[in-house]
Every structure is written in structure tokens, then in C-alpha cells.
Amino acid sequence: MGLVRLKIRELAEEKGWTLKEVADRSGIVYSSVRSYARRPAIATVDFTALHKLARTFDVLIEDLVEIIEE
């Protein structure tokens, strides 16, 4: 199974946003944003959340996701 990491912290830092601001701007519950940002590797991710985060950061989903293991 493939593992990914979401680049939420890096993208938030580039914008000067906190994780709480990311949650507010994206409409994703803060605990989910925090969980995604803290995990070094994730096996499953809600695609709707990925889409909302990519739209919030104005990046492609491919720019939000780092493949850790295929």
C-alpha cells in the first residue's frame, strides 16, 4: 500500500498561516488539518479534504502530496 505525506506545514508557512487559519480557510475541521500536518506518512486521505486544501493553498493536488512509499 502506498504512503503519502501532505505538505500542509510547508504551504502554510509560505502563506504565513497557522494550522487553525488553514482549517478556517479550507472548511476542514482543525483536528483533521492538525492530524494530516503532523503525520509523517498516511495510508488513506479523504479526497474531498485534499481538494479543499489544494484549492485553499491555490496549488495542484500533486503539489500538496509527497509520495513516501509506493
Side-chain angles (χ1 to χ4, degrees):
M1 178 183 299
L3 297 174
V4 298
R5 183 181 76 81
L6 301 185
K7 301 177 187 176
I8 294 172
R9 284 198 188 278
E10 295 94 321
L11 294 169
E13 285 177 11
E14 286 177 16
K15 300 271 187 188
W17 298 344
T18 64
L19 293 180
K20 176 72 170 116
E21 287 175 299
V22 172
D24 292 343
R25 291 171 183 266
S26 67
I28 300 171
V29 178
Y30 172 70
S31 61
S32 294
V33 171
R34 186 184 67 218
S35 176
Y36 287 147
R38 287 183 174 177
R39 291 170 141 175
I42 304 168
T44 60
V45 178
D46 176 10
F47 187 79
T48 303
L50 280 180
H51 185 260
K52 287 180 178 180
L53 287 166
R55 201 170 56 214
T56 299
F57 288 120
D58 195 28
V59 298
L60 298 173
I61 289 174
E62 293 85 356
D63 297 329
L64 175 65
V65 177
E66 177 183 356
I67 296 173
I68 303 295
E69 178 183 307
E70 290 189 45

